[in-house]
Amino acid sequence: DAKTTQPPSMDCAEGRAANLPCNHSTISGNEYVYWYRQIHSQGPQYIIHGLKNNETNEMASLIITEDRKSSTLILPHATLRDTAVYYCIVRVAGGATNKLIFGTGTLLAVQP
Amino acid sequence: NAGVTQTPKFRVLKTGQSMTLLCAQDMNHEYMYWYRQDPGMGLRLIHYSVGEGTTAKGEVPDGYNVSRLKKQNFLLGLESAAPSQTSVYFCASSYDRVFTEAFFGQGTRLTVV
């Protein structure tokens, strides 16, 4: 299983872009990169995922490097409600398994 | 559409007691998961299921049992609760395709005294 490495915490000013990095240097060719977030005491929430192309949705953008060994989640205009723990996950692929393995994530604190 | 519903939301158990946590989803998802979350540990996968009648072990399965008798329900059992099982438990479900998202319940806070 490919592991991910994220900084334990980051700060961001309200209204500015938040750029959350993730390293996944052992990712294999058929594994996707997923991002989830967890607002205090709530269940995790899906944000976005990608394989090798950059992706964008209404919540965020995902930039994956060409070698796929790292990625960045971008929240274009962070608000106080974006304060949460953000998890970068590499999806285990193959066989009948489809499990998500979470690490400890990055605590993003959006400052007013 | 309720999504993923966990029952109960809070529970206090005495050491040695047993209990079952219920997870129900109404999205016709094949995959279901049970996680526990402890301070500073992130989420850890306990057991999961890839379809009705099937279960498999995750990262931390000891002390827990699960059953998936119906596609929409995934039960997590503690036969003899221990203080080390004090945690917040989350259930999740997803489609069986690799590119789909998982939906999480709101959690069950369990305290074992």
Side-chain angles (χ1 to χ4, degrees):
Chain A
D1 300 352
K3 288 190 172 182
T4 62
T5 304
Q6 299 177 254
S9 63
M10 293 181 62
D11 288 342
C12 177
E14 189 177 18
R16 304 297 292 269
N19 296 277
L20 292 91
C22 180
N23 287 318
H24 30 79
S25 58
T26 59
I27 192 171
S28 60
N30 61 348
E31 290 180 313
Y32 287 74
V33 179
Y34 279 73
W35 283 84
Y36 281 74
R37 74 178 182 183
Q38 187 175 24
I39 297 170
H40 180 62
S41 76
Q42 297 181 18
Q45 175 191 24
Y46 165 83
I47 301 173
I48 198 167
H49 72 276
L51 183 62
K52 54 183 179 181
N53 296 321
N54 297 337
E55 302 288 344
T56 296
N57 63 20
E58 64 278 3
M59 288 183 67
S61 295
L62 174 60
I63 309 298
I64 302 174
T65 58
E66 192 170 344
D67 63 7
R68 302 209 326 122
K69 292 184 176 182
S70 65
S71 60
T72 301
L73 178 74
I74 301 173
L75 307 178
H77 305 287
T79 70
L80 297 178
R81 288 178 294 181
D82 292 322
T83 292
V85 177
Y86 287 78
Y87 296 97
C88 170
I89 303 161
V90 173
R91 188 87 176 228
V92 177
T97 63
N98 199 34
K99 53 188 179 181
L100 287 172
I101 302 292
F102 285 76
T104 53
T106 296
L107 173 59
L108 174 69
V110 180
Q111 308 291 342
Chain B
N1 187 340
V4 178
T5 303
Q6 291 183 230
T7 310
K9 290 184 172 51
F10 303 94
R11 185 73 185 268
V12 178
L13 283 180
K14 294 183 179 180
T15 298
Q17 286 185 317
S18 63
M19 78 162 294
T20 300
L21 281 67
L22 170 64
C23 177
Q25 53 94 3
D26 60 2
M27 296 172 282
N28 201 35
H29 285 170
E30 289 292 338
Y31 285 70
M32 297 187 75
Y33 317 80
W34 275 107
Y35 291 87
R36 61 177 289 173
Q37 187 170 35
D38 304 299
M41 298 292 290
L43 285 93
R44 293 184 291 169
L45 182 64
I46 305 172
H47 286 279
Y48 64 100
S49 168
V50 301
E52 180 178 319
T54 72
T55 63
K57 294 181 179 180
E59 302 171 273
V60 289
D62 294 342
Y64 304 95
N65 57 75
V66 287
S67 64
R68 184 96 180 270
L69 298 179
K70 293 183 179 181
K71 186 177 184 179
Q72 63 268 32
N73 295 336
F74 194 28
L75 279 65
L76 178 71
L78 288 73
E79 288 187 351
S80 180
S84 61
Q85 294 177 304
T86 293
S87 189
V88 180
Y89 293 85
F90 288 100
C91 175
S93 71
S94 69
Y95 289 112
D96 60 349
R97 298 187 299 275
V98 71
F99 53 83
T100 57
E101 64 189 270
F103 293 83
F104 282 80
Q106 288 305 297
T108 296
R109 187 173 296 275
L110 176 66
T111 302
V112 183
V113 297

